[in-house]
Amino acid sequence: MADPIELIAAREHPNVRAFLRMLRHGEGTAGENGYRVMFGGDRFLGADGVADTFDDFADHPRRAITRRLGGAPITSTAAGAYQFLSRTWDGLVKQYGFADFTPTNQDLGAIALIKGRKALEDVIAGRFEAAVMKCNKEWASLPGSPYGQPVVTMARARQEYEAHGGTYAEPAPAAAAAAMALKSELPLVHLGPEPAPVEGVPPNPFINDQEAPMAPFLAAALPAVISAVPELARMFSSGSPTSERNIKAAEVVVNVAKEAIGARNEQELVETLQADPGAAAVVRQAVKDNWFKLEEVGGGIQAAREMNAKMQGDKGIQHNPAVWVSMVLLIFPFMLLVDVFYVHPDAYSGELRTQIITAILAVIMMVGAYWLGTSASSKAKDEALLKR
């Protein structure tokens, strides 16, 4: 039989107490009678059938109750502040030797379940979301739970945790570095002086004292998407003054992410990414599938077009580098064709002629695509982005 001394010690930690209160909120047992609640909301009584007597918490009530949830009947023996099933409680009694179902033992039993999910160290250390994601198969009300029952949002769970004294771990060095890099690159709406820091709440790396046009909802959603797609951090921290590009790219990224998981708005996108690791994987794949859109925002063809326009200015088309490159690419194939068919026709076999003609056609198509196809479509995408 396991020694409950670790559970008893953990119960005194403020983060553990706050986490337990957060669990009770989700399970609907946050009230003063929460330790007496059965599935469906009724209070259980002891063997004497009278409330508030010595035997109220003598044992788990072990009553199967049927309620309709979402139109379907559900039968459960869940009881107590953490809605233990009778078989779950019996397993805890066998493992730790709990003598009764008192509030203290219910707390210890919940801590034992958290430990069983390998989340107790996360709770104590303040790694809140990591602990929630490890425990959401134990409690169906937690964000990301796979059981199809109503769940609280990660934001609401955090709020309850914080309200009861829960604190968070310091941000990881890599995350802090990425945040600082993003802060230097992402221009956001001017929000006035940054508020005084609140103990336990990390500062917002996306608030600065410079005025810029990025909308607040994009600023709120982008960090969650970057967390799901770490490759994006390099794009937004390239070290060059690319404010306009970042704004356009942020719009593309967030819109791709919302479409990928069917989020109706940026808030729903953030909460889904925080609660569901599967959603993060879907978003990451969607961003990869649409990477070409990001490469053309402020870089790639657009950057080449802008550079050409800048170098040409009002001096005439002869100062446009793309014109000269295109001429070279077209003149050389023309000269090669003259040599193949008129100057040295006997020097080329039929197979070699076919290969040369194929290569020349590829060059012509590439130049044509730049001037007539890709450039035009890229410009249309840019205009669409600017209208958003």
Side-chain angles (χ1 to χ4, degrees):
M1 184 175 296
D3 191 339
I5 188 66
E6 180 184 2
L7 310 181
I8 295 171
R11 185 170 178 262
E12 300 305 313
H13 196 285
N15 282 355
V16 174
R17 288 181 175 273
F19 199 85
L20 293 178
R21 291 303 298 263
M22 181 274 298
L23 290 176
R24 290 180 57 187
H25 166 77
E27 296 297 315
T29 60
E32 59 177 319
N33 291 314
Y35 289 96
R36 301 172 181 270
V37 172
M38 292 187 297
F39 176 67
D42 293 338
R43 292 175 57 185
F44 62 80
L45 304 174
D48 62 4
V50 180
D52 301 322
T53 58
F54 72 97
D55 69 340
D56 285 0
F57 295 106
D59 194 9
H60 188 289
R62 306 179 189 285
R63 285 179 54 190
I65 299 173
T66 301
R67 293 285 187 272
R68 299 191 71 83
L69 187 63
I74 295 179
T75 301
S76 176
T77 60
Y82 309 98
Q83 295 293 281
F84 299 100
L85 300 178
S86 59
R87 65 175 180 273
T88 300
W89 184 252
D90 288 343
L92 291 170
V93 170
K94 183 177 180 180
Q95 184 176 6
Y96 289 98
F98 298 134
D100 50 39
F101 200 54
T102 55
T104 297
N105 281 341
Q106 289 185 40
D107 285 350
L108 297 179
I111 295 170
L113 294 180
I114 294 170
K115 179 184 176 183
R117 293 290 176 177
K118 302 186 184 305
L120 185 55
E121 290 184 1
D122 292 312
V123 173
I124 293 173
R127 296 187 289 269
F128 179 76
E129 291 188 15
V132 167
M133 300 312 293
K134 290 178 180 180
C135 292
N136 62 13
K137 292 182 176 63
E138 194 71 56
W139 285 281
S141 63
L142 287 178
S145 174
Y147 300 119
Q149 298 182 31
V151 301
V152 298
T153 64
M154 187 66 77
R156 185 67 184 90
R158 277 181 169 272
Q159 182 180 1
E160 196 69 21
Y161 174 76
E162 293 166 7
H164 291 91
T167 59
Y168 301 101
E170 290 296 323
M180 291 303 296
L182 284 168
K183 181 177 180 180
S184 67
E185 282 291 322
L186 290 178
L188 308 181
V189 171
H190 180 66
L191 299 177
E194 187 164 348
V198 178
E199 184 177 356
V201 179
N204 186 346
F206 297 96
I207 295 178
N208 59 33
D209 294 329
Q210 298 179 355
E211 191 162 341
M214 179 176 281
F217 58 82
L218 284 177
L222 189 58
V225 180
I226 292 175
S227 178
V229 191
E231 293 87 349
L232 290 172
R234 294 191 296 272
M235 172 172 289
F236 289 97
S237 57
S238 61
S240 58
T242 51
S243 300
E244 184 178 355
R245 182 204 70 185
N246 283 336
I247 296 170
K248 295 177 183 178
E251 292 177 355
V252 174
V253 167
V254 171
N255 286 333
V256 167
K258 287 195 297 184
E259 183 177 351
I261 63 175
R264 293 167 294 183
N265 51 49
E266 283 71 19
Q267 180 179 351
E268 184 174 337
L269 170 65
V270 172
E271 291 182 351
T272 302
L273 287 175
Q274 291 175 338
D276 185 0
V282 171
V283 166
R284 188 175 189 210
Q285 186 59 50
V287 170
K288 286 186 175 182
D289 291 342
N290 290 273
W291 197 261
F292 70 94
K293 295 182 180 179
L294 303 178
E295 290 178 331
E296 291 190 7
V297 175
I301 293 173
Q302 177 180 319
R305 185 168 62 247
E306 292 175 352
M307 182 194 71
N308 289 332
K310 182 177 180 180
M311 296 183 70
Q312 178 180 331
D314 55 1
K315 300 176 183 178
I317 195 171
Q318 69 272 18
H319 293 277
N320 189 325
V323 173
W324 293 101
V325 172
S326 298
M327 289 179 63
V328 170
L329 290 175
L330 292 176
I331 290 174
F332 177 76
F334 176 76
M335 295 175 61
L336 183 59
L337 282 177
V338 171
D339 188 70
V340 169
F341 288 101
Y342 296 102
V343 180
H344 302 103
D346 297 333
Y348 300 89
S349 66
E351 182 179 353
L352 183 57
R353 287 185 182 185
T354 300
Q355 293 176 352
I356 290 173
I357 293 173
T358 300
I360 291 173
L361 288 175
V363 171
I364 294 173
M365 290 175 63
M366 179 181 65
V367 174
Y370 176 83
W371 288 103
L372 302 177
T374 307
S375 181
S377 64
S378 180
K379 183 178 179 181
K381 290 174 187 174
D382 295 341
E383 292 172 351
L385 281 168
L386 288 172
K387 292 177 181 178
R388 291 182 181 177

